[in-house]
Amino acid sequence: MKRIKRFVVLMAIALLLSITSPGLAQVTHIAQVPGLSVEQQARNSYAKGEFTEAAQLFQQAAQAYKAANKPIQQALSLSNLSLCYQQLGKWDEAHRAITESVALLNTIKNAKSDKSLALAQALDIQGGLQLARGQAEAALKSWEAATSIYNQLNKPNRVLTAQTNQALALQNLGLYKKAISLLETALKLPQVANINPEQLKPLLEKIAATPETATALRTLGESLRVVGNFPPATLILERSLAIANQLQLPEAIALTQLSLGNLARTQISLTKASKTPINPQVAIAFYQQAAISAPLNLKVQAQVNQLSLLVETNQLDAAKALLPQLQQNIAALPPSQSAIASRVNLAQTMIQMQKQSGSQISETEIAKLLAVAVQQAQDLGDIRIQADALGTLGNVYEQAQRWQDAEKLTQQAVQLAQKINAGDIAYRWQWQLGRVLKAQGKSKSAIAAYTEAVGTIKSLRADLAAANPDVQFSFREAVEPIHRQLVGLLVESNEKDNLKAARDVIEGLQLVELDNFFREACLNGNPEQIDKVDPKAAVIYPIILEDQLAIIASLPNSQAKADKQAERDFRYYKKPISRPAIEKLATRLGEDLKQSTAFDLTLPQLQEMYNLVLKDAAVDLETSQVETLVFVLDGVLRNIPMAALHDGQQFLVEKYSIALTPGLQLLAPRSLKQERLGALVGGLSEARSGFTALPNVQQEVDKIKSELPSQVLFNDTFTNSAFQNQISAVPFPIVHLATHGQFSSQADDTFILTWDGKIKVNELSGVLKTVEVSQDNSLELLVLSACETATGDNRSALGLAGVAVRSGAKSTVATLWRVDDEATATLMSQFYEQLVKANQTGITKAEALRRAQLSILKNPEYQTPYYWAPYVLLGNWT
């Protein structure tokens, strides 16, 4: 939670500091009032940072121009007066001054260029004020109007400046992709995410070195960072820094160094689980460079970022050394939104320091810092940052177990966030309120607060998925725990309605997690009544909580045969085990299962996992006479083949058909139509792109061809373009791909291999959705027979679920690890043989897979789970 709060604030500050200041408004060729030097004195004072004196002088100048009947000059002085007030944090005065300036200019009837230029500059200043006050939509409109005028006046540099500010407003609204598109057009660049770095470099070198292009490039780089396109972001920010250095622009240099530090920091957080994580000192070095010669507000921002990164990476001695200097610098800042955000961010970091090091930072010290932030935010009229400051103060009291104070302040934060529909911060304070209420034993109120938080997240799915990597990598630290903690509260009661609610919550988490995987809200849940799909199926939800494995089972009701309207039975089984313990067991088991010789080692682990997940439910399952177990697996459990769980006498697959689904919300309730069976088959048997040969793929393909009508793309004919062309032309409901592939927790690392390259999951889903196999354009079965989950990635099966739901296929069969391809050929032959017979036997796809697995299991050469267990069926199993 601390991380997401800290980074939301960081983003707010970054946006503020990136605003391309229009500078003092001025129009050329305006006759000066004889003897009037007040305006020039005002400009000189402003340049020296003497904003109070400058404001007095601009006010005098405006009055003098009014007396001399010079409305354009009067309006310019009012615009500049607004700038002075903004610098002083006098937001109401700034608003009055700029409003009067714009209104005055709009009363001038002639269309002289001097008037138009003055109006554009006033709109520029107005946009900056609106964005600083959290009015991003209004700011966007002001900057769009300024852009239009600058275009009419043929002032390309100012057009670029106004477009850059438009992009900042779009960022503030969460519309990062629109911001990127706008800046690409403005800078005459192609879609930079779609070209390789070697092609991008010369295009960037051709961009003219001006202050405006330096700023536009920096803003584009920031937007690319936010959507996770790091290679182009790096090149673009480096070009921005080169231009700033060439033109000797100290503020632009500091801002770009700050952006490069943020880029490195984002990559640190996203690569923590990799074998070669990025060194945090790279980001720290950029922050230190930015602070050297920057203006005070930028120096503070750089130091705030540096301090929080030091704490996050446990460099506590360095953090303690930096803290006093940062506190002194923040105290010297005049009131402004960036100053308030810095205070809040510093407070959050100090809370973290207090926890990690047991340092002498007192609760009172942090509370005083936040009290100033709350008051300044109130004076500014920025409700959003006021809510953040109040919520953070509530967090201070939560840590101190001052529950009533924490509850009161957190409720205020929630109310303010809801008042302005700021769901992206509301859900964090709703979560905090739930924790505080739970700590006081107010379970019903706590459930209500948690439920509101989950509802807010549901409404924010698009924003959580598409926008900010600060939100992306904080998924595990914030969004996921909210859902799990709510489930924990709900199952404690063991009441049917609460168990159903817990089921819905965990399915909602699956949707959010898949959105997070794809970085877009692309999945629309459609809750499906399981009895309508299969009244002989039980749905098992093993949910990993901090101190237990909670298992919710949805079972056929014993009255269902007599009463088709009878609701299903919900049961709750609790296994005390810590989250780290079950994750350790699942990780070890998953790795051991991939070794063909490890059966003696894995059998005790498979029995232990069975005891955790199913032992307590075994009697109820038998009583309910279920034939199919449908698992909605959670976290690291997705990497475990449920078919291989062992009850001490037999494997689970020997008793039940087994299927997986990310949730009933994503289930398509229909079976494979037997009369239309046929397959488009893609196969790769030769070594390609560093992957080993799969010699038995030829045998696998031949056996499929012998079982049902097939169109085959094999080896050099299995290219990206050929596959794309064939898939829309071949009228078959099955697509079978026998080739290397990998499932990962990152969409960019989830792919299948063709003769001439990789097809990534987003490209694959786009291709598969073009398949036209019936009047409703449905792909009914996708088979991926040589793919595997990424080694060392505990959440890699998320990529498998992603492929399954995004392909548009009603069902997907895939492998959790790459198996001996001779065994695969045999199993796939059996699977298709069973599917062809299904019209006579009436068996489901899950049962067809089960029978194929049993045929392999009975073969003495292939009895260990290594050979038959990795095959899983996702989606509709009927």
Side-chain angles (χ1 to χ4, degrees):
M1 176 185 175
K2 308 305 181 298
R3 182 181 295 169
I4 189 169
K5 289 194 293 187
R6 186 159 57 244
F7 276 108
V8 168
V9 175
L10 283 175
M11 178 55 64
I13 301 174
L15 285 170
L16 284 167
L17 295 176
S18 297
I19 294 173
T20 308
S21 172
L24 291 174
Q26 54 187 332
V27 177
T28 56
H29 310 303
I30 293 182
Q32 298 291 322
V33 177
L36 182 65
S37 61
V38 175
E39 181 187 338
Q40 189 55 54
Q41 293 175 39
R43 292 177 184 278
N44 292 340
S45 295
Y46 187 94
K48 295 176 184 177
E50 299 167 350
F51 301 120
T52 300
E53 184 178 344
Q56 293 171 348
L57 292 168
F58 276 124
Q59 200 162 32
Q60 292 176 29
Q63 292 167 352
Y65 283 130
K66 181 178 182 181
N69 196 25
K70 297 285 184 179
I72 294 176
Q73 293 91 327
Q74 179 189 350
L76 288 170
S77 293
L78 288 168
S79 295
N80 291 334
L81 177 60
S82 177
L83 272 180
C84 294
Y85 283 142
Q86 289 179 47
Q87 294 286 358
L88 293 168
K90 296 183 177 181
W91 304 101
D92 290 338
E93 292 92 333
H95 172 71
R96 283 195 292 270
I98 198 62
T99 301
E100 185 180 350
S101 174
V102 172
L104 179 59
L105 289 166
N106 282 325
T107 62
I108 301 173
K109 299 301 181 184
N110 64 55
K112 289 174 61 177
S113 62
D114 286 346
K115 175 252 181 170
S116 297
L117 182 56
L119 179 58
Q121 290 177 101
L123 290 167
D124 250 345
I125 292 169
Q126 179 175 264
L129 174 61
Q130 288 164 332
L131 191 63
R133 302 193 77 172
Q135 301 163 0
E137 290 183 4
L140 180 61
K141 290 178 181 177
S142 293
W143 281 322
E144 285 174 341
T147 302
S148 177
I149 296 172
Y150 287 138
N151 267 316
Q152 293 170 14
L153 296 173
N154 192 27
K155 293 188 176 294
N157 285 345
R158 295 199 176 188
V159 167
L160 181 57
T161 294
Q163 288 173 320
T164 301
N165 283 335
Q166 282 184 55
L168 289 166
L170 290 169
Q171 285 182 6
N172 206 284
L173 292 167
L175 302 173
Y176 293 93
K177 291 181 180 178
K178 285 189 177 181
I180 290 168
S181 179
L182 172 64
L183 289 170
E184 286 170 341
T185 301
L187 290 163
K188 298 181 174 59
L189 288 169
Q191 292 185 351
V192 296
N194 295 334
I195 59 177
N196 66 50
E198 294 307 314
Q199 292 174 311
L200 181 57
K201 281 182 181 179
L203 295 176
L204 294 173
E205 292 299 325
K206 291 179 182 178
I207 293 176
T210 68
E212 293 80 10
T213 57
T215 303
L217 286 166
R218 182 180 71 248
T219 307
L220 175 58
E222 273 288 323
S223 297
L224 289 163
R225 175 188 75 85
V226 162
V227 298
N229 290 329
F230 301 134
T234 301
L235 290 175
I236 287 166
L237 288 173
E238 287 173 350
R239 176 59 179 153
S240 174
L241 182 59
I243 292 173
N245 280 319
Q246 179 183 337
L247 300 178
Q248 298 182 352
L249 305 171
E251 188 166 330
I253 291 169
L255 277 167
T256 310
Q257 288 167 335
L258 189 57
S259 292
L260 283 163
N262 290 340
L263 175 61
R265 180 173 189 166
T266 302
Q267 292 173 281
I268 292 165
S269 300
L270 289 172
T271 59
K272 277 185 176 178
S274 72
K275 294 179 181 178
T276 55
I278 293 175
N279 187 340
Q281 298 307 126
V282 174
I284 289 170
F286 278 122
Y287 292 147
Q288 289 173 332
Q289 291 167 22
I292 290 173
S293 58
L296 184 59
N297 63 333
L298 281 179
K299 181 188 288 288
V300 165
Q301 174 55 22
Q303 290 177 331
V304 164
N305 288 11
Q306 180 184 343
L307 181 72
S308 60
L309 181 55
L310 288 169
V311 173
E312 186 180 314
T313 54
N314 293 312
Q315 301 181 58
L316 299 179
D317 289 339
K320 290 175 184 176
L322 177 61
L323 180 60
Q325 180 187 351
L326 177 52
Q327 289 173 310
Q328 184 178 351
N329 287 338
I330 281 185
L333 282 176
S336 70
Q337 192 182 38
S338 64
I340 301 165
S342 292
R343 287 179 183 275
V344 174
N345 190 21
L346 175 59
Q348 291 166 354
T349 302
M350 289 168 71
I351 293 170
Q352 197 63 20
M353 289 177 70
Q354 195 178 41
K355 284 176 161 185
Q356 289 182 357
S357 64
S359 62
Q360 300 305 310
I361 298 174
S362 68
E363 168 196 323
T364 303
E365 186 179 2
I366 302 173
K368 285 181 179 178
L369 182 67
L370 287 166
V372 173
V374 170
Q375 186 59 55
Q376 289 183 348
Q378 201 167 3
D379 294 342
L380 171 62
D382 189 326
I383 295 176
R384 180 187 180 88
I385 203 163
Q386 185 182 351
D388 247 351
L390 281 166
T392 304
L393 186 54
N395 184 235
V396 172
Y397 293 135
E398 180 191 8
Q399 301 303 321
Q401 299 185 8
R402 290 173 53 180
W403 303 118
Q404 290 185 342
D405 291 332
E407 181 180 344
K408 179 181 177 182
L409 289 163
T410 307
Q411 282 178 333
Q412 291 176 15
V414 169
Q415 290 165 0
L416 287 174
Q418 290 175 330
K419 181 179 179 181
I420 57 171
N421 295 317
D424 57 320
I425 59 173
Y427 80 88
R428 295 182 284 113
W429 305 129
Q430 288 162 340
W431 176 27
Q432 181 168 294
L433 182 58
R435 296 196 309 270
V436 169
L437 291 166
K438 179 186 176 184
Q440 297 176 80
K442 302 176 182 178
S443 295
K444 287 187 178 180
S445 297
I447 288 174
Y450 270 102
T451 302
E452 282 192 0
V454 168
T456 303
I457 289 169
K458 186 176 180 180
S459 71
L460 281 173
R461 277 176 55 206
D463 295 333
L464 287 170
N468 198 325
D470 304 336
V471 177
Q472 290 287 323
F473 66 71
S474 65
F475 178 84
R476 298 296 299 273
E477 289 80 15
V479 176
E480 188 174 351
I482 293 172
H483 286 76
R484 295 193 189 284
Q485 290 167 19
L486 174 55
V487 168
L489 280 167
L490 290 167
V491 297
E492 278 180 9
S493 68
N494 202 11
E495 296 174 0
K496 182 174 181 178
D497 287 346
N498 280 348
L499 292 178
K500 289 172 66 177
R503 183 269 312 266
D504 295 340
V505 169
I506 209 66
E507 287 209 359
L509 176 60
Q510 299 269 0
L511 288 178
V512 176
E513 192 166 20
L514 284 167
D515 286 343
N516 184 264
F517 170 78
F518 285 110
R519 290 180 179 262
E520 60 179 302
C522 54
L523 308 172
N524 295 313
N526 181 25
E528 190 60 46
Q529 173 55 255
I530 185 65
D531 286 326
K532 294 179 182 178
V533 180
D534 186 356
K536 295 180 180 180
V539 187
I540 312 295
Y541 299 82
I543 306 165
I544 302 172
L545 303 179
E546 286 303 316
D547 58 354
Q548 66 168 295
L549 182 66
I551 298 98
I552 297 175
S554 169
L555 305 174
N557 192 298
S558 58
Q559 300 297 317
K561 291 181 180 179
D563 180 6
K564 292 186 178 180
Q565 301 302 315
E567 291 191 13
R568 294 174 67 82
D569 285 334
F570 281 82
R571 307 287 173 85
Y572 162 54
Y573 314 95
K574 177 179 180 179
K575 281 292 185 180
I577 184 172
S578 69
R579 170 194 278 267
I582 195 165
E583 289 183 342
K584 182 179 179 181
L585 170 63
T587 301
R588 186 176 71 248
L589 176 55
E591 292 302 316
D592 288 347
L593 282 168
K594 296 178 183 180
Q595 308 299 320
S596 61
T597 59
F599 182 57
D600 289 341
L601 295 174
T602 57
L603 183 58
Q605 298 173 44
L606 290 168
Q607 291 174 349
E608 184 179 357
M609 188 62 75
Y610 173 86
N611 290 339
L612 284 170
V613 176
L614 281 177
K615 183 178 180 180
D616 290 352
V619 173
D620 290 333
L621 292 172
E622 290 179 11
T623 303
S624 301
Q625 299 181 331
V626 300
E627 297 177 0
T628 302
L629 300 184
V630 182
F631 289 92
V632 182
L633 294 176
D634 185 24
V636 71
L637 294 176
R638 296 190 191 105
N639 290 340
I640 304 301
M642 293 292 111
L645 300 191
H646 200 281
D647 65 3
Q649 295 182 346
Q650 58 185 343
F651 293 107
L652 196 61
V653 74
E654 296 180 83
K655 294 179 67 175
Y656 300 102
S657 301
I658 294 168
L660 308 178
T661 175
L664 301 181
Q665 297 183 57
L666 298 175
L667 198 59
R670 81 168 165 204
S671 306
L672 192 63
K673 297 176 182 177
Q674 301 299 320
E675 69 273 10
R676 297 170 47 249
L677 283 184
L680 171 62
V681 181
L684 197 63
S685 65
E686 297 185 17
R688 301 295 294 175
S689 302
F691 289 85
T692 58
L694 297 168
N696 284 288
V697 164
Q698 178 72 67
Q699 178 187 353
E700 181 178 342
V701 170
D702 290 343
K703 287 187 176 181
I704 294 170
K705 287 170 63 178
S706 71
E707 294 292 344
L708 70 167
S710 304
Q711 175 71 44
V712 176
L713 299 172
F714 191 69
N715 282 341
D716 60 352
T717 63
F718 181 34
T719 62
N720 287 14
S721 59
F723 178 55
Q724 187 163 352
N725 291 335
Q726 285 293 322
I727 202 163
S728 60
V730 177
F732 292 142
I734 298 172
V735 173
H736 183 108
L737 302 177
T739 177
H740 284 288
Q742 178 176 279
F743 307 116
S744 167
S745 59
Q746 300 294 323
D748 282 347
D749 296 326
T750 297
F751 61 86
I752 62 164
L753 191 68
T754 65
W755 182 262
D756 57 351
K758 298 175 182 177
I759 302 179
K760 293 186 178 181
V761 60
N762 283 311
E763 299 165 346
L764 177 65
S765 64
V767 171
L768 291 173
K769 284 185 177 179
T770 67
V771 66
E772 295 180 0
V773 295
S774 66
Q775 291 182 350
D776 61 354
N777 301 325
S778 63
L779 171 61
E780 298 196 20
L781 177 62
L782 171 66
V783 181
L784 304 168
S785 73
C787 297
E788 58 188 312
T789 50
T791 301
D793 184 347
N794 285 342
R795 303 172 73 230
S796 60
L798 185 62
L800 171 54
V803 171
V805 300
R806 274 292 288 273
S807 68
K810 303 299 178 288
S811 313
T812 300
V813 172
T815 51
L816 292 173
W817 59 84
R818 184 165 64 84
V819 192
D820 173 89
D821 60 329
E822 185 176 351
T824 295
T826 303
L827 185 140
M828 284 299 162
S829 174
Q830 290 291 323
F831 175 60
Y832 282 111
E833 183 179 326
Q834 294 296 331
L835 281 183
V836 170
K837 293 178 181 178
N839 202 33
Q840 290 80 37
T841 60
I843 65 170
T844 64
K845 286 174 286 199
E847 179 62 16
L849 179 60
R850 173 179 176 265
R851 293 183 182 185
Q853 288 176 300
L854 290 177
S855 71
I856 298 294
L857 173 58
K858 291 174 183 176
N859 185 329
E861 294 183 15
Y862 300 135
Q863 285 185 333
T864 69
Y866 167 79
Y867 291 102
W868 54 264
Y871 302 91
V872 293
L873 172 67
L874 291 95
N876 188 284
W877 61 90
T878 60

